[in-house]
Each structure stands twice: as C-alpha cells, then as structure tokens.
Amino acid sequence: MMRQAIFLIALNLFSNSVLAQQDATPPAISLLTPSEGEVIPPLAVPFSFLFDATVTDESELRDVKFMVRDPSGNRSPWVTGNLREGSSDIYEASLELPQGGTWSYRVRAVDNSPNRNSMTTPWYNFHVAGSPANSIAIVKQEIADIIASRTDINLAAKFVRLGFHDCVPDEELGGGCDGCVDLSNGENAGLDVPIDALTPIVDQYATPAYGLSRADIWAMAALVGSEVSQNDITFPFEYIGRVDCENAHDVCYKENGSPQPCQENRGPHRPLPGPDLTTSELLHWFSLRFDFNSRETTAIMGAHSIGGAHRENSGFDGEHGWVNNPNQLANGYYNMICAPPTREGAISAFEAAMFAPAWDLEFIDNTQIGKSSRYQWFHQKDANRDDAADINLDKLVMLNSDIALVRDLDGYLNPETGEVTGCQFRCLNNACAGSATPRCPHAAQTFDIVVEFEGDNLVWLDEFSAAFRKMLIRGYEAEVGVSCSELTPCVLTPLTSEAEFFERKKNLRK
C-alpha cells in the first residue's frame, strides 16, 4: 500500500514536470483594478491604493508584479504581488500614489515552467482625483504665473474678454459658458491669443483627475485676470461643472445656421452686444442674456477699465484703452465719463457730474484693412501736444455703448453707422446755453449709478465681482441655499434648454 502511494505521488510529479516542460503559453491576465480610465475619488494624498489582477496559467506562477507611472512619466520599480487570501488566482499589491493626476500601471506575470513564459500588459490609465479645492488652487496659480510671464501683452484683460464671449447665450438656441467660441466670427477676433495661452493648462488639468473642464478653466482665467489686475478684493472661483460644447451638443451652428463640429475654436454662434447701443438697448441686451438689472449692467461695463480696442480685431482705434491705466481694474472707467458731483463752483451736483472729461466723435476709416468703418469717441489727455507722430499716445477711446451709460443717445445715434448727430457729449466750458449743438441728455436709468461708482472704487469692485461671477455661470443652475467657496466649490447643473432658463427667469421675478 505504501509503495502504491509513493508511486502515485512520483507519477503525479513526473506528469506535472512533463506538462511544465511542454508549457509554451504565457500566463493570462484579466479583470484588473483599477479599470482603464477609472477615476479614483478625491482622497488625502499621498495614499496607498490596492491594485489587483486575475492571473492564470497552465503551470504554477513564479511571480506577479505591478508597476505604476506617475503623471510626469516617472516609473516605479516592479512590486511583487501576493495571492489574495481565500483566492486561487487574484494577485494584489499596494502602491503609493503621492499626487493627483493621470497615472498608468501595468502587470507582469511569469510562470514556473522551464520556459519561464511571461506576459506584460499594456499601460492602463487611471485618474487620481485630488480634492476640488486643490485643483482650483493649482490651476489658479498656473494661470497667474502665465499672466505674469507675458509682459508683452495684457493677458489678464484678454482672459476677461474670453470669459465674457464664452458665456454669451442665444435667446433661441440657448448656450452659456461652454469653453468654445467661434473664431470664424469676426467679433471674436483676437481671442485666439488667450485660448492659445491657456491650452497647455487646459491639456494638463481639464481631466477627470482634476475635476475641471475647459470651460471651468476659461472661467477661472477670467476671474484670475480680474483679481491680479487690482489689489483690493478677491474673485473667488466657487463653481465647477461647466460642460464643454463638444460634450453638450452634437453640432454647433454658425451665424448662417449651418452646422459645424463643436470644438474650442468652432463653438456656437453668439450674438454679442453691438458697440452702437443706446441706454435702453444696452440694458435690454444684458437683461435678456444675463438677467442683469441696471446696476449689474452698469457695473459689468467697467470691465473696459483694462485692456484696449485693437483696430485689426474690432475696427476701433483704441490701443491705449479706455482709461489712463489700462492695466488696473478700477473705477477709472467711470472717472472718464462723469465727474465728482462735489466739484467746486458747479451750479448743482448734477451739473458737476455732467462736466466729465471732454469726448469728441471721430470717424475711423477701415476700408484699407477689410474691417467695418467705425465712429468712436476719443479723449486727448494732452490737448497741447503738437507732436503728430506721438499724438495717439495720449488718445483714449469710448464706444457709443460706453457713452450710453451717461448720455441718452436715443434719437441721435444712427444704428447703422454709429454716427451721433444733433448733440455733443459736453459743451465748451460746460456752457450749453445758446450752443449750436446741445449737450446730449443724460442717461436717466444709469447716470446716478455711474456717479456712485465714480466716487467709490470698492463699491464698484464688489458689484462688478458679483455681476461677473453671475455671468460666468450662465447656462447652469447653481445650488440654492448652499454655501459655495473655493474650499468647497459647488457643482453646477446644466439647464436642459433655453426655454427652461427663461421660464426660471420669469418665475424668479414673480
């Protein structure tokens, strides 16, 4: 009996040995964790994650090993996996993940046959999601750094402009902040500059790991651009969850109604506010698109305090901007279109406020550059300058839509050409009695708000910040009754249709 048992054991060992020698098939690796593209939810990093894989082979396995590759491409050593307790084929290994981002891993198995058959999987990508607060802090700093690095242009102002153009909706087709603008639309000329500047940041951080979209990063850049352009208040980024246009629509429609594939530089057509609006038209446009009241509209126009108007983009000759310091986000915009109501010698506070710096209408002939010719208002800072070569260095600009905050141009403004006839911004020495051309009437709906903002920079900054942040969530529903901040940002919910927006807007006004 003993001899028979020994014989059977020997036969079994011999059989296994023969099978092992004949084994030419590598191990099979399947059912890996994490799966391709999986997002590991926000955790405190660094942390250890338990990787596993199901590994089988005709022969016994010699070893199963795991390797990770971090977001910068650095590889870890191979780490030996252990057979999971109670399992015959699941191997696992704990590896440290010291940072958020897009990681990769692979598994290698070697059998115990004389051939040492092996199998190594391809790299599988997965995402380690840092906390939303960490993502926001990292990306805000990246944006601030790129603004500081570009001393050749005012990127901050360009980011503010991009944020506005990205969030303008259409009252029929809907839309809102979606990380897309149509660069074939001449009104978006020049936006390729801020888009290109943000592309490296978008490529790195608009991922599931960071929980941000391109639209989120564009909106964040607009707020960072505002924040770094002044030192008085912060512009918190409180909301995430904006959806990029290619993930929201099958196609985007151009101005003529023809479809085109949605992408960052071929977004849906957005009707922007014209430069030649009267006071009532300006207020109506912002009320319709953003549900702004008169104060919010007047406040948001102060964004013109930074940046300039470039003729090759808009047809307006305002390279040096609207104000004396086009790099500072401040109430200087309002200082240029009204005066302090306490000016000594004025017959009334109203007349004192009306006696703003002088603005004269001029015609800009753009026929030679393929742009529409324009009428604009200009102010010469040094009226005595006689150096013709340098005279434009002192020239500031206002558009009719800017002047409309303090002058009612209704009945005087030709909407087709932008020319204003029959009234002037200010009479010589403010002596309008008997003037051949009377002073344009004041804009009753917004004039007093302009006067208030002219006198208090902090009041204006606070109201501008609130209006701008409201603009940058256009097309979404924010959580009600929840405190949102950069440390605990709230997730926006896209409105399902433009009809839903207008229905909610109507209900809010009941």
Side-chain angles (χ1 to χ4, degrees):
M1 197 70 172
M2 178 69 71
R3 288 180 180 179
Q4 185 178 6
I6 293 173
F7 172 76
L8 289 173
I9 292 172
L11 180 61
N12 186 54
L13 291 173
F14 174 76
S15 298
N16 287 341
S17 175
V18 171
L19 287 172
Q21 292 179 26
Q22 294 175 344
D23 183 7
T25 304
I29 305 174
S30 62
L31 302 175
L32 292 84
T33 301
S35 59
E36 170 68 29
E38 183 175 340
V39 178
I40 299 175
L43 297 168
V45 292
F47 69 98
S48 294
F49 185 80
L50 192 64
F51 294 79
D52 67 58
T54 299
V55 187
T56 57
D57 190 74
E58 295 178 9
S59 309
E60 294 181 357
L61 288 165
R62 182 179 181 86
D63 59 52
V64 176
K65 295 186 176 182
F66 296 76
M67 173 187 285
V68 294
R69 183 173 61 192
D70 71 18
S72 299
N74 302 309
R75 302 181 182 186
S76 73
W78 285 107
V79 174
T80 301
N82 299 309
L83 193 62
R84 178 177 293 176
E85 184 177 352
S87 174
S88 62
D89 56 7
I90 299 177
Y91 289 79
E92 58 189 16
S94 181
L95 286 84
E96 187 172 272
L97 305 176
Q99 67 183 90
T102 299
W103 288 70
S104 305
Y105 78 104
R106 60 183 178 178
V107 182
R108 184 180 70 186
V110 180
D111 68 19
N112 209 23
S113 70
N115 295 326
R116 293 292 190 265
N117 301 307
S118 66
M119 168 62 70
T120 302
T121 68
W123 290 101
Y124 292 95
N125 297 318
F126 65 99
H127 309 287
V128 177
S131 71
N134 286 342
S135 297
I136 292 170
I138 291 170
V139 177
K140 282 190 72 173
Q141 188 58 55
E142 291 269 356
I143 294 169
D145 289 345
I146 201 170
I147 291 174
S149 71
R150 292 296 300 271
T151 56
D152 56 322
I153 56 175
N154 187 344
L155 262 185
K158 295 182 184 299
F159 288 159
V160 170
R161 179 176 178 237
L162 176 62
F164 168 52
H165 282 234
D166 181 41
C167 293
V168 172
D170 184 277
E171 68 269 25
E172 294 180 356
L173 299 177
C177 312
D178 61 5
C180 299
V181 293
D182 186 3
L183 291 182
S184 66
N185 180 353
E187 292 181 313
N188 293 322
L191 288 180
D192 56 308
V193 175
I195 290 173
D196 290 347
L198 288 172
T199 293
I201 297 175
V202 168
D203 289 346
Q204 183 170 357
Y205 297 108
T207 67
Y210 288 95
L212 300 171
S213 65
R214 181 176 63 247
D216 285 331
I217 292 175
W218 284 12
M220 193 186 306
L223 293 174
V224 173
S226 301
E227 186 165 302
V228 302
S229 298
Q230 48 79 53
N231 299 311
D232 294 303
I233 68 170
T234 60
F235 284 74
F237 185 76
E238 303 162 310
Y239 297 98
I240 59 176
R242 297 167 185 83
V243 181
D244 297 336
C245 70
E246 64 269 27
N247 297 322
H249 313 289
D250 294 329
V251 295
C252 290
Y253 292 92
K254 296 190 287 187
E255 183 176 7
N256 62 10
S258 61
Q260 61 183 351
C262 294
Q263 57 191 62
E264 66 177 6
N265 61 355
R266 289 293 181 267
H269 172 68
R270 308 173 195 274
L272 294 164
D276 302 315
L277 299 180
T278 64
T279 310
S280 59
E281 291 169 338
L282 182 69
L283 294 175
H284 174 73
W285 192 94
F286 278 99
S287 173
L288 181 64
R289 265 71 181 193
F290 294 105
D291 198 27
F292 278 4
N293 58 31
S294 297
R295 290 190 71 87
E296 290 169 318
T297 298
T298 306
I300 207 70
M301 291 293 291
H304 280 168
S305 64
I306 56 174
H310 298 274
R311 197 172 174 188
E312 65 273 18
N313 293 335
S314 64
F316 290 102
D317 185 14
E319 181 181 354
H320 300 288
W322 285 255
V323 299
N324 293 321
N325 183 357
N327 298 315
Q328 182 182 15
L329 186 67
N331 64 340
Y333 172 78
Y334 305 97
N335 300 149
M336 296 306 299
I337 53 177
C338 83
T342 56
R343 185 175 64 88
E344 186 177 350
I347 60 174
S348 68
F350 171 76
E351 286 298 332
M354 288 286 281
F355 194 63
W359 292 95
D360 297 303
L361 197 67
E362 66 175 339
F363 178 71
I364 306 298
D365 185 354
N366 292 318
T367 54
Q368 298 300 313
I369 63 172
K371 292 286 183 180
S372 298
S373 295
R374 303 289 198 181
Y375 278 95
Q376 66 181 35
W377 300 82
F378 77 95
H379 170 72
Q380 205 69 48
K381 290 191 287 184
D382 183 357
N384 297 317
R385 180 184 287 276
D386 57 6
D387 185 348
D390 292 335
I391 195 167
N392 283 336
L393 294 177
D394 277 340
K395 181 173 152 182
L396 301 179
V397 66
M398 289 282 169
L399 314 185
N400 283 321
S401 295
D402 298 303
I403 296 297
L405 291 178
V406 289
R407 298 291 187 269
D408 186 354
L409 302 178
D410 190 22
Y412 301 96
L413 172 62
N414 183 328
E416 301 299 324
T417 65
E419 184 179 13
V420 175
T421 56
C423 72
Q424 58 181 320
F425 182 81
R426 193 187 82 177
C427 303
L428 182 64
N429 297 322
N430 215 30
C432 293
S435 173
T437 304
R439 183 179 65 193
C440 301
H442 81 290
Q445 295 168 282
T446 52
F447 185 81
D448 289 345
I449 304 170
V450 172
V451 172
E452 183 179 350
F453 290 159
E454 186 278 336
D456 196 321
N457 185 49
L458 283 178
V459 167
W460 170 69
L461 278 173
D462 285 338
E463 295 197 33
F464 171 78
S465 174
F468 198 28
R469 286 181 286 126
K470 177 179 176 179
M471 175 180 283
L472 294 173
I473 61 171
R474 177 63 177 89
Y476 301 87
E477 182 177 26
E479 295 182 68
V480 178
V482 178
S483 178
C484 306
S485 70
E486 289 191 358
L487 294 178
T488 56
C490 296
V491 179
L492 294 166
T493 302
L495 295 173
T496 57
S497 68
E498 194 64 9
E500 180 179 347
F501 169 75
F502 283 102
E503 183 63 27
R504 295 187 183 195
K505 174 178 172 181
K506 182 175 67 176
N507 291 336
L508 286 172
R509 290 181 169 177
K510 288 181 178 178

